Amino acid sequence: MTRRRDRDGDRGSAFVEMIILIIPVLLAFLALLTLTGRTYAAALAADALAYASARSASLHTDQRAAQAAAEQALNESVGTWGRACRRATVALHPTNVGSASVVRAEVTCTSHRDDLAILRVQRERTITGQATSVIDVHREEVP
């Protein structure tokens, strides 16, 4: 039995070829994972901002005061979400559910994905979150 001798120049070339093929796949997978996480974080942020806005608006019986309170809660909370939710706006929709008056807050914000160019996705995505809160009619009006 004779042993085949490798030429010195071919040693390890299969390993290098494998690495060259695997690295782009791993980078694309990492970028896709980042995109999924960022989209999920933006949806969580929009829902949390909608909840804060709806809760603040539910403490007021006057529509203008409710809108101002919702916008103030939105502005105070939006800073904690960083890149996940930018340029947030809130719209209030007062309705009745059975015998209870409720306010539904709808928050729309933008999630930036400009650093994920490898996936060729849109640079921005609009995310919407909604929350509903019962209007507290027995509470004193907040000044």
Side-chain angles (χ1 to χ4, degrees), residues 40-55:
Y40 183 70
L44 284 177
D47 285 342
L49 292 172
Y51 176 76
S53 298
R55 182 66 187 133

Side-chain angles (χ1 to χ4, degrees), residues 88-104:
T89 59
V90 62
L92 296 179
H93 307 285
T95 58
N96 290 325
V97 176
S99 62
S101 296
V102 298
V103 62
R104 181 173 57 91

Side-chain angles (χ1 to χ4, degrees), residues 61-129:
T61 54
D62 179 48
Q63 179 67 22
R64 284 190 191 143
Q67 181 69 37
E71 288 174 0
Q72 180 181 357
L74 178 73
N75 291 333
E76 289 174 357
S77 301
V78 78
T80 60
W81 291 99
R83 188 177 176 92
C85 199
R86 292 186 179 173
R87 294 185 300 210
T89 59
V90 62
L92 296 179
H93 307 285
T95 58
N96 290 325
V97 176
S99 62
S101 296
V102 298
V103 62
R104 181 173 57 91
E106 185 174 315
V107 171
T108 304
C109 61
T110 304
S111 172
H112 290 269
R113 306 177 308 179
D114 50 355
D115 57 343
L116 298 174
I118 191 171
L119 295 177
R120 294 192 173 130
V121 294
Q122 294 175 342
R123 295 175 65 88
E124 295 179 345
R125 182 173 181 193
T126 302
I127 306 289
T128 303

Side-chain angles (χ1 to χ4, degrees), residues 23-45:
I23 285 179
V25 173
L26 289 176
L27 288 176
F29 178 72
L30 184 63
L32 185 62
L33 192 63
T34 303
L35 174 68
T36 303
R38 190 165 300 158
T39 302
Y40 183 70
L44 284 177

